[in-house]
Amino acid sequence: MREIFQYVPGTSLIHRLNPMTKLLLTLLICVAAFLTGNLFVLLGLLLVNLLIGFCAGIARRTLGVFKGLMKIAVFLFLLQVLLTRKGTPVFWIITDEGLYTSAAVVLRLIVVCMPLTLMLAVTRVSDLANAMVQVAHIPYKYAFTITTALRFIPQFLEEMSDIMEAQTARGVAFDKAKGLKKLGMMLPLCAPLLISSVRNTEHTAVAAEVRGFHLRTARSGFRHYPFHGIDVLTLLAGAALIALSAVI
Amino acid sequence: MIRLENVSFSYANLGPTVRDLSFHIRKGEFVAILGANGAGKTTTMKLIDGLIRPTSGKVTVNGADTRETPVSQRARQVGFLFQNPDRQICRNTVREEILFGLQTVRGEEGEEALKQRVDAVLEDFHFTGDEEPFSLSRGQRQRVALASILAVEPEVLILDEPTTGLDYLECCHIMDRIRRMNEEKMVTILMVCHDMEVVLDYARRALVMAGGELLGDGDVRTLFRDTALMERASILPPQMIALGTRLGIAEADTPETMAEAILSRRGGGSA
């Protein structure tokens, strides 16, 4: 779980794309997923996600994320199917519209969540921040805030795992509980997690300040992120996905 | 009490972290696990508590295989003090924190009995009980974590670098309390510590590890005097032991005994 937001080194074509291209493609896929209600288009977008993962040489990570999302999707699907009353009943209280809407909702959820994790797997967070500043002219402190927030996610997950381990050693039955019971047991642990998170954030801020964070400007980066032909082609493909979703 | 038989462990996608470990710790022993970073010390302690399961071999605590009982069930028997106290503390006051551990493990004893236990521990550790744990200093938080573990009265106490980040007085306070538990209640202590002076002062037996393997097992002073072993494990022995070894004064391990040994040598030489 903790490694799903971590960078996977590689030399694939996807890895070599401009970080801004990858970020924009991620946004385009998300927008395309919201523009369409067509199941086939959503399935197509899901295939695009899987294809990107396979082309980037991170098939295992891609399938891992897919499997994780499927667990949530199954739960959401069942909930949605049982609560939707519109449409013609096909079995018990389940309607055809309920089935269709639920499938669309869970597919959209998977299609929207996958690109972000894939993008972080093929892009170094520092490259993303630098490209945001150089290409999109976002002030460095905002780019830093965004990338730091992303960097903290795996740290929080690791911290939570360590806290749970410590509590298990004290006799809290995390190793026996499952589902909602486990979730209930995790709630009191939010306090130590929150406190350690605030401490980590404060330490990071102080460390950045003492290293001259406020002196950093757009000109400070020594790496350049030029756009190549493949970046343009990728963005055109992304725009085509948007058009397809809007039309169908 | 604790027995490891040919235990090996590997983390996913990594090589073996510990290899073919075998040793036996008896009730009431005070054992230090020594080694450089990455030697496999913390992994060994987690294996003993059952937080991780061996890839091969067997770990037993009081005859029970750690693979067969959940960690949470063993908490009454084995207490684990982590290096970072903030991972253990999860309540708003010191009293609630100590009570939380007791309720989890000794809940069947009843409210009154638990309250008495909490009061005794609070008095012993000089807390009023109303302090907010996260507002205390690092050393005090470490004491809160230790207090909440000791309140349960475990038979085995595992300490992962208990003195890291503590000043000398705080370190002595915590270690003296642990020694008292060991001597008065025969609590078995297993400690990972990078401060060799603390190890020399408190532990009686040491396990020396390097690269996931057990290189030495025996009396702390004897192992510290084994220069070749210390070099292989990348450990710097305590100053007095190192000085004694260089001067050929094997029995000296404190400034007092060193001074006596040197004076008696001088006396012998002049006589």
Side-chain angles (χ1 to χ4, degrees):
Chain A
M1 178 69 180
R2 70 184 73 169
E3 58 275 343
I4 66 165
F5 293 103
Q6 279 170 5
Y7 174 70
V8 181
T11 52
S12 70
L13 188 69
I14 310 283
H15 277 87
R16 282 180 278 130
L17 285 174
N18 188 302
M20 283 310 290
T21 307
K22 289 184 254 186
L23 183 63
L24 284 172
L25 183 65
T26 302
L27 291 174
L28 289 173
I29 293 174
C30 292
V31 172
F34 281 108
L35 281 177
T36 186
N38 187 305
L39 285 184
F40 293 106
V41 176
L42 286 168
L43 273 172
L45 290 171
L46 177 62
L47 281 176
V48 169
N49 278 331
L50 293 171
L51 200 67
I52 291 172
F54 289 139
C55 289
I58 50 164
R60 215 170 130 190
R61 165 83 69 91
T62 310
L63 289 175
V65 172
F66 179 64
K67 271 190 211 164
L69 287 168
M70 275 302 284
K71 286 180 194 165
I72 306 166
V74 167
F75 175 72
L76 270 180
F77 181 80
L78 290 173
L79 205 70
Q80 184 89 10
V81 158
L82 294 173
L83 293 176
T84 307
R85 290 283 176 271
K86 281 184 186 170
T88 319
V90 287
F91 171 70
W92 189 38
I93 54 167
I94 299 167
T95 64
D96 55 351
E97 199 173 325
L99 283 170
Y100 190 88
T101 321
S102 311
V105 165
V106 296
L107 267 173
R108 191 173 288 130
L109 171 88
I110 297 172
V111 169
V112 166
C113 291
M114 277 188 83
L116 181 70
T117 55
L118 292 181
M119 187 211 40
L120 291 175
V122 294
T123 316
R124 280 196 180 86
V125 175
S126 55
D127 284 339
L128 191 63
N130 290 337
M132 277 177 172
V133 174
Q134 280 182 25
V135 183
H137 299 290
I138 294 171
Y140 182 74
K141 63 179 174 183
Y142 296 121
F144 180 81
T145 309
I146 295 166
T147 53
T148 306
L150 291 173
R151 197 181 283 149
F152 271 139
I153 296 170
Q155 275 185 21
F156 288 161
L157 291 172
E158 199 168 332
E159 190 81 24
M160 191 63 182
S161 161
D162 288 340
I163 290 170
M164 281 171 69
E165 191 178 59
Q167 297 302 328
T168 308
R170 289 180 76 187
V172 182
F174 281 118
D175 47 356
K176 288 194 282 184
K178 284 201 167 65
L180 287 175
K181 195 178 172 193
K182 191 171 182 176
L183 196 69
M185 290 162 87
M186 282 165 78
L187 285 176
L189 307 186
C190 290
L193 183 67
L194 193 71
I195 284 162
S196 68
S197 308
V198 172
R199 278 210 180 112
N200 283 343
T201 313
E202 198 182 334
H203 291 162
T204 309
V206 171
E209 274 306 322
V210 296
R211 291 167 71 192
F213 177 80
H214 62 285
L215 300 173
R216 177 135 186 180
T217 63
R219 289 183 190 171
S220 303
F222 68 92
R223 290 189 69 176
H224 295 283
Y225 301 91
F227 274 93
H228 299 290
I230 189 69
D231 291 301
V232 179
L233 281 176
T234 307
L235 290 176
L236 284 174
L241 286 177
I242 293 267
L244 194 75
S245 303
V247 172
I248 300 177
Chain B
M1 178 115 212
I2 299 167
R3 191 179 286 277
L4 273 79
E5 291 169 39
N6 309 106
V7 172
S8 294
F9 177 80
S10 308
Y11 285 101
N13 305 325
L14 289 174
T17 311
V18 295
R19 272 177 238 164
D20 204 27
L21 279 188
S22 295
F23 59 82
H24 177 217
I25 295 171
R26 288 164 208 87
K27 186 172 171 59
E29 280 198 279
F30 197 133
V31 183
I33 303 183
L34 312 179
N37 289 335
K41 308 178 298 292
T42 301
T43 303
T44 305
M45 300 219 293
K46 284 186 177 178
L47 281 164
I48 292 170
D49 197 22
L51 287 166
I52 48 176
R53 311 281 162 95
T55 318
S56 64
K58 193 175 166 187
V59 181
T60 53
V61 178
N62 270 346
D65 193 329
T66 55
R67 264 191 280 229
E68 285 158 16
T69 43
V71 188
S72 52
Q73 263 182 32
R74 234 186 342 272
R76 189 164 172 165
Q77 232 174 21
V78 184
F80 200 128
L81 181 72
F82 288 80
Q83 189 184 349
N84 183 354
D86 297 346
R87 287 177 182 161
Q88 283 177 238
I89 297 168
C90 61
R91 287 294 186 263
N92 295 330
T93 63
V94 172
R95 178 181 292 280
E96 284 174 24
E97 180 60 33
I98 295 170
L99 190 63
F100 174 72
L102 278 170
Q103 280 170 333
T104 317
V105 186
R106 289 185 177 270
E108 78 285 351
E109 287 184 9
E111 211 171 300
E112 194 51 42
L114 295 188
K115 194 179 166 296
Q116 282 174 9
R117 271 180 187 272
V118 173
D119 289 339
V121 173
L122 285 172
E123 195 184 327
D124 195 14
F125 278 82
H126 310 295
F127 286 119
T128 62
D130 298 324
E131 300 93 338
E132 288 178 17
F134 289 107
S135 306
L136 299 173
S137 71
R138 153 98 202 203
Q140 285 172 317
R141 292 205 301 279
Q142 188 74 306
R143 277 205 290 138
V144 173
L146 181 65
S148 60
I149 289 168
L150 293 189
V152 173
E153 294 189 359
E155 293 171 47
V156 179
L157 187 56
I158 298 176
L159 312 163
D160 190 1
E161 299 183 33
T163 58
T164 304
L166 302 186
D167 62 46
Y168 182 70
L169 280 179
E170 201 70 68
C171 166
C172 290
H173 192 106
I174 283 186
M175 289 312 299
D176 286 345
R177 186 66 185 74
I178 290 165
R179 176 150 63 190
R180 244 170 52 219
M181 284 288 287
N182 173 251
E183 288 174 353
E184 290 169 8
K185 298 190 174 172
M186 288 290 282
V187 174
T188 309
I189 311 284
L190 197 57
M191 166 177 82
V192 163
C193 187
H194 286 292
D195 187 336
M196 296 305 144
E197 307 291 341
V198 170
V199 172
L200 182 67
D201 284 348
Y202 294 92
R204 289 189 290 275
R205 179 181 162 194
L207 303 170
V208 180
M209 292 183 73
E213 289 177 33
L214 186 64
L215 300 185
D217 176 0
D219 172 68
V220 171
R221 282 159 179 78
T222 311
L223 291 182
F224 275 145
R225 286 187 188 112
D226 186 339
T227 320
L229 176 70
M230 291 295 106
E231 270 179 30
R232 274 178 70 198
S234 307
I235 297 171
L236 281 176
Q239 281 186 341
M240 281 302 133
I241 296 268
L243 185 63
T245 308
R246 286 181 70 179
L247 295 175
I249 307 169
E251 68 280 7
D253 52 20
T254 62
E256 291 78 20
T257 52
M258 178 63 73
E260 275 172 25
I262 291 171
L263 286 173
S264 72
R265 266 192 180 191
R266 271 190 181 176
S270 59

